[in-house]
Amino acid sequence: MANKKITSRSEDFAQWYTDVVNAAHLSSYSNVKGCIILEPNGYAIWEMMQKRLDKMFKETGHKNVAMPMLIPENLMRKEGELINGFAPEVAWVTMGGDKKLEERMCIRPTSETLFSDYYASVVNSYRDLPLKYNQWCSVMRWEKETRPFLRSREFWWQEGHTIHETADEAEKETKDMLGVYEKFFKDYLAIPVLTGQKTESEKFAGAEYTLTVEALMYNGVCLQSGTSHYFGQKFSKAYDIKFADRNNGTSYVYQTSWGVSSRMIGALIMVHSDEDGLVLPPRIAPVQVRVIPIGKEEESKEIYDLADKLYNDLDSKNISVEIDRTEKSPGFKFAEAEVLGIPVRIEVGKRDLENGLITLVRRDTKEKIQVSKDCDIASEVNKLLDTIQKDMYDRALTRRDEMTYEVKSLEEFEKQMNTQPGFIRADWCGSTDCEARIKEIRGCKPRCIMPNDKLLTGKCLVCGNEAKHLVTWGIQY
Amino acid sequence: MANKKITSRSEDFAQWYTDVVNAAHLSSYSNVKGCIILEPNGYAIWEMMQKRLDKMFKETGHKNVAMPMLIPENLMRKEGELINGFAPEVAWVTMGGDKKLEERMCIRPTSETLFSDYYASVVNSYRDLPLKYNQWCSVMRWEKETRPFLRSREFWWQEGHTIHETADEAEKETKDMLGVYEKFFKDYLAIPVLTGQKTESEKFAGAEYTLTVEALMYNGVCLQSGTSHYFGQKFSKAYDIKFADRNNGTSYVYQTSWGVSSRMIGALIMVHSDEDGLVLPPRIAPVQVRVIPIGKEEESKEIYDLADKLYNDLDSKNISVEIDRTEKSPGFKFAEAEVLGIPVRIEVGKRDLENGLITLVRRDTKEKIQVSKDCDIASEVNKLLDTIQKDMYDRALTRRDEMTYEVKSLEEFEKQMNTQPGFIRADWCGSTDCEARIKEIRGCKPRCIMPNDKLLTGKCLVCGNEAKHLVTWGIQY
């Protein structure tokens, strides 16, 4: 694996991003237009994300299922807003073998329709509720542009779909799952997020409202990183999901859905990585430590024995560790561990060893830490991994805060966006016209409404009328 | 969850199978023709299978990736035999949004083409080899008939695809992965399997040869349960997967693929289950123990306290355990634990407790075992789970052996198949004509060639010419 050159982040952020993806072998373009391949290093990160999130979903009472990947057109059309939202970007299957299908089917762009149809067939009584299901799968949206992890026709995600007896319960679920996402971003990805409600024009097709998790990238561009939707009874009425209620009557269920996707890998890169490659937070890194013995194996028995011992000590304490026994030069080995984003490398070399030492190197800061070769290595490494995790979050939070700007006029807004984009806080009257005016500024959109924050001026930044909300705005991927 | 009536296995095996699938809520038909839904109980078994197998794959040096789900027609057509084998049964995407595609694409029926295309782009030198990748996904084959888990248009599987420097290495991989499957069936599913090579007419389209894992169901029908293919250089020549070899020349890689699918859930049912529902081997059961306190909670504090203690003791020892606190009758609770196939239920009742006892009930034999309420429950349960696992395998092996028949003439063959089908061992000359003649008997096909077994008569059972192989034959799902 050659350590390809990585473009300077400040010179060309987009190229830097692509270079990191390639150099760390996370993903590659396929010969299937608009579709990417998750290579082993990229897929391993996705597996870690799945593992952590799946545990959180199960702990909150959710169960996994698998729905078909195809949706017959009629089933898709039952709820009008959804099909209107997705029709322009679905892939249609029209032939099975050499026969034209009687009814064409689309590859799922999202599965509200299938879950609703299924729920309608299994729910009879309020005693059957709630049903809280999730599936891990890939979905297909016929996008024109492709950018690895951020936008591609096929992407990998989870979609939770739940039905409830009451609106209160469903709204609580919508909010709870947003909380799960927020916690996951903070505790595992070391990414601080804004959470809140989308405006009417930005909500999911068919939802009563959409809650969102918004992250800020290193360059000040925003990434919508997860959403949780409250549907009320829109789908349950369209798909006839009824149940015998507690009052001997018949009611429609209240419904939610929520999802995060492989796009989170893009967020990891654009929040934490640098010009030497990937930087992974320890709690999501597939490999946390790489031990690198320095010198030729046949001439360095003591070094290799110690490297093996360190490996075994770490492995036995459930630290994810590798050992690099290749014959490449030390410099090459160090660079490779760096480009892959491995949080800690341990260098075992002759000079150190003469002083009874080994060297731990942090990926995030490049700081070198010498410790005794006889130390309790698992405990040293665990401490260091915790420190790295915390420091990475703190740095991302500081940067996010530094790149959050309050503006009080359209001129200030425009100036800020043209010098340094970021999270822009500004008052808004709630009209779509004013929203559209702001969109003219580099495609800037409302990220989310900040219901608990005090208005800045009390006047809409565009029209000057009374403001209804403080909103955080930004350019988006 | 009502305990639906299950048809007698001896009266109507097919209906019994469907009834077990429904009663245990493993899967349901969807409104997408030919596609099934994996419901939570079915998906949980699939998750256990994935977890166990994934560990075995990783321990043998394989890495997971994700390939696109679509294959452009041209890419699909590069290797002639594969497309000929699969063309009649692929789903074609012809529209993206409202635009007709310039080139139609099929939903993957299998991914040799995509892996080959990818490998061609990343392999340069013998130093890059081997590459041993796997993916977990669903695939689509436009089948006419649907039977849950056994045959449906969409099914869930893993497909390993590897490339190697030499034929020897690739052939070793083909065999090794068959060994992994055999071990998985034996150690986890408690199912004895026959392994061996398929005949020319039964091998995978495009393979040099196919190795197979064959299981025998309770009714004597066979289930091809996993395959491992050796491709030689067929795909590498068609897709141009070349590398700079050790002799300063250019060579084509040698290739394999191997897969098992959600059809294994069908095998689990048809080998082990009975007329009270599912019976799961402990090492694949998502829930191994269900604790059932008997009596109303408010009147039975001692019982519920003990049930909680048992639950906690088992849970803390990594035994997968549930507690049933519902207000249903004891009989209903017992039947429910049975229909779900939970290997052990623990009944905590008043009368037992007066004698200081609790009762463990084995799902497989219904045997009741009384133990002291103060015993080391985790150790008792672990012993019992091991016994159940072993007994289930032994019973399946005994039945398999009892249903394996040696026949020396076509008349005997036909008679056996018409009285009691099973694994039929008979000599064969190797001609496809004789194979076709045998197929006239209830669609009977060669399961696999038994290269190490001595011929029975030395003469082909059909034509009487010199026999080349002893073959095991059978009717198949």
Side-chain angles (χ1 to χ4, degrees), chain A residues 382-400:
Chain A
N382 270 327
K383 257 190 297 180
L384 189 55
L385 293 174
D386 285 348
T387 306
I388 294 171
Q389 183 80 29
K390 183 176 179 308
D391 289 356
M392 285 180 74
Y393 179 79
D394 289 346
R395 281 197 302 273
L397 182 62
T398 302
R399 195 168 60 241
R400 202 260 324 249

Side-chain angles (χ1 to χ4, degrees), chain B residues 24-140:
Chain B
H25 297 274
L26 300 179
S27 146
S28 82
Y29 285 100
S30 72
N31 280 321
V32 188
K33 199 167 172 260
C35 293
I36 64 166
I37 292 164
L38 293 191
E39 296 184 287
N41 293 343
Y43 198 82
I45 298 173
W46 180 235
E47 274 184 331
M48 286 296 289
M49 290 175 168
Q50 287 186 287
K51 189 173 153 188
R52 305 299 192 195
L53 279 167
D54 199 68
K55 187 156 181 278
M56 294 170 90
F57 297 157
K58 284 178 177 155
E59 283 167 356
T60 46
H62 300 88
K63 292 178 176 180
N64 286 334
V65 299
M67 288 284 157
M69 69 156 81
L70 294 179
I71 311 173
E73 185 164 13
N74 265 316
L75 188 62
M76 187 73 184
R77 289 199 181 279
K78 277 195 181 176
E79 200 288 320
E81 291 173 50
L82 186 83
I83 183 71
N84 290 338
F86 283 102
E89 51 174 50
V90 294
W92 290 105
V93 173
T94 61
M95 307 268 299
D98 54 4
K99 287 216 182 69
K100 193 164 177 293
L101 302 186
E102 284 176 28
E103 181 187 10
R104 62 181 186 165
M105 304 192 208
C106 69
I107 299 177
R108 62 181 161 222
T110 180
S111 305
E112 277 73 13
T113 52
L114 294 166
F115 275 91
S116 295
D117 190 51
Y118 171 69
Y119 283 144
S121 77
V122 295
V123 170
N124 296 305
S125 146
Y126 69 91
R127 288 186 202 85
D128 299 329
L129 297 173
L131 287 174
K132 307 205 297 180
Y133 292 171
N134 174 64
Q135 79 173 345
W136 293 96
C137 62
S138 69
V139 292
M140 186 72 76

Side-chain angles (χ1 to χ4, degrees), chain B residues 324-422:
Chain B
D324 183 351
R325 290 187 168 282
T326 60
E327 295 193 353
K328 296 160 192 160
S329 74
F332 189 96
K333 290 183 179 187
F334 300 162
E336 191 178 73
E338 280 178 1
V339 84
L340 296 175
I342 298 169
V344 171
R345 71 169 184 265
I346 303 182
E347 302 175 3
V348 187
K350 199 174 164 204
R351 215 175 315 163
D352 272 354
L353 219 54
E354 285 166 2
N355 299 310
L357 299 173
I358 54 174
T359 302
L360 315 188
V361 186
R362 285 174 68 156
R363 170 63 184 91
D364 63 330
T365 59
K366 311 282 175 72
E367 188 192 347
K368 296 189 172 208
I369 300 146
Q370 290 192 314
V371 298
S372 159
K373 73 179 180 58
D374 303 315
C375 72
D376 176 352
I377 189 67
S379 141
E380 288 295 331
V381 163
N382 270 327
K383 258 189 295 178
L384 189 56
L385 293 174
D386 285 348
T387 305
I388 294 171
Q389 183 81 27
K390 183 175 178 310
D391 289 356
M392 285 181 73
Y393 179 79
D394 289 346
R395 279 197 303 273
L397 182 62
T398 302
R399 195 167 62 241
R400 204 263 318 253
D401 288 347
E402 284 169 3
M403 294 175 91
T404 299
Y405 310 101
E406 302 201 330
V407 305
K408 294 177 182 172
S409 71
L410 204 54
E411 294 66 44
E412 269 187 75
F413 194 110
E414 202 147 3
K415 196 177 152 201
Q416 185 61 56
M417 290 306 289
N418 287 328
T419 48
Q420 174 58 61

